[in-house]
Amino acid sequence: MVSCCQEQRRPAAMAGKGRGVGAFTFNIDALGIGRGNMPEARVGPSPLFPSTDFKPVPLKAGEDEDYMLALKQEMRGTMQRLPYNIKPQSNKAEVERYTERYLKQSQIDDNEWTPDWNLFPKELMPRRKRPRAKTGTKKSAKISRKDAENILTKLDELTNKDDPEKSDEETEKKPGNEDEEEEIEEEEYEEDIEEENDYIESYFDNGEDFAADSDDNMDGEATY
Amino acid sequence: MTAQEVRLCGLLLREHFGEVVEKVGTHLLKSGAQNLRTIIHETGLSVDLVKKSLCVLVQHGASTFSSGRKGPGSPTEYHASCDRILRILRYPRYIYTAKTLYGDTGELIIEELLQRGHTMMSSTVKTVADRLTQNMAEGRTMDYSEVSSTFSKLVETHFLQRCPPLPRVGNKDSSAPSETPATPGTPAAPVNTAPPTPESFPECYKVPSVTLIGRGKRQLASEDGEEQRSAKRAKMDPETHGDEGIYWQVNFERFHLHFRDQTIISAVANKLDQTSSEIVRTMLRMSEVTTSPMATCTKPLSANEIFRSLPPSYNILRPILDQYLTLLVDDPMEFVGKAGESGGGMFVVNLHRALANLARATLESVVQERFGSRSARIFRLLLRKRHLEQKQVEDFAMIPAKEAKDMLYTLLSQNLVQLQEIPKTPDYAPSRTFYLYTVNQLPTARMLLQSCYKTVANLVERRLFETKESKRLLEKSQRIEAILASLQASGAEPEQLTEVEEMITAPEKQQLDTLRLHINKLDSAENQVDETIFLLESYINSTNASS
């Protein structure tokens, strides 16, 4: 008698199905929440900008912070003008140059830098065989002291080569660094690419720049 | 390398080096070490651009290269370092610290080195002297020797270090200059997987004997600066100053140690008073050279030594010093500990414990600002008491049951609090299991660090968005400024100037002002979130070292 009364009073632990959706398989009091305290069901995704009860603390303001702010903004500006900032090649329209005339020319730092190839792997050197492989831009060639020697040695070598067109363009633009010490595997690898691009260049004339890395339109050479 | 870190690294690279470098950098970060061919193929950029970007990344130390995995013959692999790119966020702080320690000269030296990655001493000295000369009064120039001496001081205190020479790979002939020591036996050794740290080279902090005699040159303002400069450069013979091939870089770890010390000192000043912070500063200064970067605490110092080394402006009596030291030892933040009785008492500064306590204070303050002071009380309670049941939380925190439950579940849903199950029976029956709430400091700190990275990334994106929205207006104002400057330089009348100034209308000016205010706020916020990032990172790294 007593046992069956007890059974009835126990919440429907084992027979959860059919006895109501809110029935649980365990004693809910152990977690400390009652039936009535359940949070309401979600009706959709949470809002993108929920309102917060507590607003954020205001920023610190003082001399140090102001100075560091100025430093940060200056550094950002400077680094965007340094040659380390590589811009994706884009055709510079006429409008660009007009405004640039008014910007302080003296602010434009030396636009090229040559890394010390002793510290860098040789495969990162720009290749000089390809006429489009130039690290310079169309600004007047500023020949740095290091590359003055390079130009001289290159001129000597190029006199031995048999493509006179390319040698002219080479010396006009800022030459890449010498890469005589290339290893054989790198040469093979580079020749691979050279072949592909030579093919495209000589036999196929797009009319527009196909390769993204040429600044000015090299249609002088491509049209046959 | 979490998603948030990669996103932030990408934004930082974009802001400072352009989108091309961003693309290459994020690709390397996401896919680990790769060789050149794969990078070109997968990013879809041209060979030239990829090569240039890699050069830039290596120049700034964001990427390292090593011979491939398959042995000395395989192509070199490039590996990007997330931590190093995230340091860009902290550049203003490094420069400012250099300014406080070594004046304007030090500030400019560090700024040059940070902007260029690594440079030679001679070129840095020349550039800095020129810049200082620009800002000096007419007729005065900066001597190279002054700048060199500041440079040497920076090297002596280890703020600058030499770049490690390349590990010679395979059959490449070693063309390292004679000054840098080549590590013996590297060419024949098998491929070493870990890149050598700069510290592993014995001459890391040795200043080369450089012959630098001269003064800074004042750059003349001219319209066609290009032609002039190229002429000047042809004249400037390629002088070698005896330090070819020795490159210097900023030693970030040393700056971090300095920041850590500053944080501890200012925490002591906030909690106790100025004199106690001076005592702690003295102790840290005395142990600067004897403490290794990863040490848990400084070497023990006797009270007698501390008394002798106090700065002369603080002439406190000996018994007062003892009282202060006792106070510091008894403080619950455990900055200073007692390590013995000889010499009037041996005291140490507990570095790791101080960092842990500071990180804990940061977590508590975050909970307080986000969820209110009562939730913060629950959080602190759980930190101290480790594991508590639901009922115990309500009792100890003295908060009514309903609200306590609500707050606990909010914290649980934000993952700041975890639930630990302790079963009484092997079948984990819920009615016979203890459910305890707990807080684990280290995982919570990591989680908070990730959300800090996300915060900074959001701030940067918002700033970029605001700039893009008002791009037209900004360009217009820039052009007008440039026109004004050129007019002033060529000596125009005030009427012309005002005419040009009026080209910007009043509402536009207002718009510009609001824009400027927003951008400043966002930038300043980035700097300040970086302080929290530094604290949490130091704490997490300190637990790594000791575990």
Side-chain angles (χ1 to χ4, degrees), chain A residues 10-81:
Chain A
R10 202 177 351 142
M14 296 308 159
K17 49 181 196 272
R19 280 303 192 108
V21 209
F24 293 94
T25 55
F26 52 90
N27 186 6
I28 204 68
D29 290 327
L31 265 184
I33 36 179
R35 238 6 116 73
N37 291 349
M38 295 302 283
E40 42 207 49
R42 298 272 291 264
V43 289
S46 43
L48 196 53
F49 293 107
S51 57
T52 48
D53 296 325
F54 302 94
K55 300 298 168 206
V57 181
L59 294 171
K60 280 193 279 185
E63 248 185 65
D64 300 349
E65 280 77 31
D66 289 340
Y67 195 80
M68 283 210 273
L69 172 68
L71 277 174
K72 183 181 170 83
Q73 291 179 333
E74 262 177 44
M75 166 155 274
R76 195 163 55 222
T78 326
M79 287 192 85
Q80 280 171 353
R81 287 194 289 264

Side-chain angles (χ1 to χ4, degrees), chain A residues 200-206 218-224:
Chain A
I200 291 171
E201 174 146 275
S202 320
Y203 301 123
F204 181 59
D205 175 24
N206 255 359
M218 296 287 302
D219 25 31
E221 216 195 44
T223 47
Y224 285 105

Side-chain angles (χ1 to χ4, degrees), chain A residues 26 32 54 57 60 64 67 69 72-73 76 80 86 102 116 118-121 123 125 140 185 189, chain B residues 15 17 37 65 76 78 96 99 107 175 226 247 369-370 405 430 463 482 520 523 526 528 531:
Chain A
F26 52 90
F54 302 94
V57 181
K60 280 193 279 185
D64 300 349
Y67 195 80
L69 172 68
K72 183 181 170 83
Q73 291 179 333
R76 195 163 55 222
Q80 280 171 353
I86 300 179
Y102 281 103
D116 180 4
N118 290 327
L119 295 177
F120 285 70
E123 63 177 3
M125 285 197 206
S140 55
E185 44 177 88
Y189 149 66
Chain B
E15 288 226 290
F17 299 113
R37 205 69 195 275
F65 57 91
T76 51
Y78 299 91
Y96 187 64
K99 185 190 175 76
E107 174 191 7
S175 46
E226 281 185 34
Y247 291 91
E369 295 302 332
R370 258 295 170 89
K405 275 173 217 164
R463 177 162 48 80
N520 284 350
D523 266 331
E526 285 174 38
Q528 296 184 22
E531 291 179 15

Side-chain angles (χ1 to χ4, degrees), chain A residues 26-27 30-33 37 54 57 59-60 64-65 67-69 71-73 75-76 78-80 82 84-89 99 102-103 105 108-110 113 115-127 133-135 139-140 142 144-145 183 185 189-190 192-193 213, chain B residues 15-18 20-21 36-37 40 46-49 51-56 58-60 65 73 76 78 91-93 95-96 99 107 115-116 118 166 168 172 175 223 226 229 233 247 369-372 390 405 409 430-431 463 479 482 519-521 523-528 531:
Chain A
F26 52 90
N27 186 6
L31 265 184
I33 36 179
N37 291 349
F54 302 94
V57 181
L59 294 171
K60 280 193 279 185
D64 300 349
E65 280 77 31
Y67 195 80
M68 283 210 273
L69 172 68
L71 277 174
K72 183 181 170 83
Q73 291 179 333
M75 166 155 274
R76 195 163 55 222
T78 326
M79 287 192 85
Q80 280 171 353
L82 282 177
Y84 303 114
N85 194 317
I86 300 179
K87 311 204 172 18
Q89 312 281 5
T99 46
Y102 281 103
L103 291 173
Q105 287 284 64
I108 302 175
D109 277 345
D110 45 335
W113 69 289
D116 180 4
W117 295 111
N118 290 327
L119 295 177
F120 285 70
K122 300 282 190 285
E123 63 177 3
L124 289 185
M125 285 197 206
R127 301 179 50 243
K134 57 195 179 303
T135 50
K139 289 197 168 65
S140 55
K142 284 175 290 194
S144 77
R145 45 207 157 114
E183 295 196 339
E185 44 177 88
Y189 149 66
E190 284 163 338
D192 235 6
I193 299 193
D213 62 348
Chain B
E15 288 226 290
H16 291 93
F17 299 113
V20 180
V21 178
L36 183 59
R37 205 69 195 275
I40 296 173
S46 76
V47 182
D48 230 20
L49 284 179
K51 283 187 184 175
K52 279 200 245 185
S53 320
L54 283 173
C55 282
V56 170
V58 173
Q59 170 77 11
H60 282 84
F65 57 91
T76 51
Y78 299 91
Y91 281 2
R93 202 169 169 192
I95 303 175
Y96 187 64
K99 185 190 175 76
E107 174 191 7
Q115 282 174 355
R116 311 222 172 223
H118 55 252
L166 258 195
R168 294 285 136 216
K172 280 204 173 97
S175 46
E223 282 301 312
E226 281 185 34
R229 261 182 299 121
R233 204 159 301 170
Y247 291 91
E369 295 302 332
R370 258 295 170 89
F371 302 106
Q390 166 78 50
K405 275 173 217 164
Y409 298 143
S431 56
R463 177 162 48 80
R479 273 204 306 273
I519 291 187
N520 284 350
K521 225 177 202 169
D523 266 331
S524 198
E526 285 174 38
N527 281 343
Q528 296 184 22
E531 291 179 15

Side-chain angles (χ1 to χ4, degrees), chain B residues 27-46:
Chain B
H27 176 77
L28 272 178
L29 282 171
K30 283 189 203 157
S31 39
Q34 284 192 334
N35 59 10
L36 183 59
R37 205 69 195 275
T38 330
I39 301 175
I40 296 173
H41 177 70
E42 290 187 8
T43 53
L45 294 167
S46 76

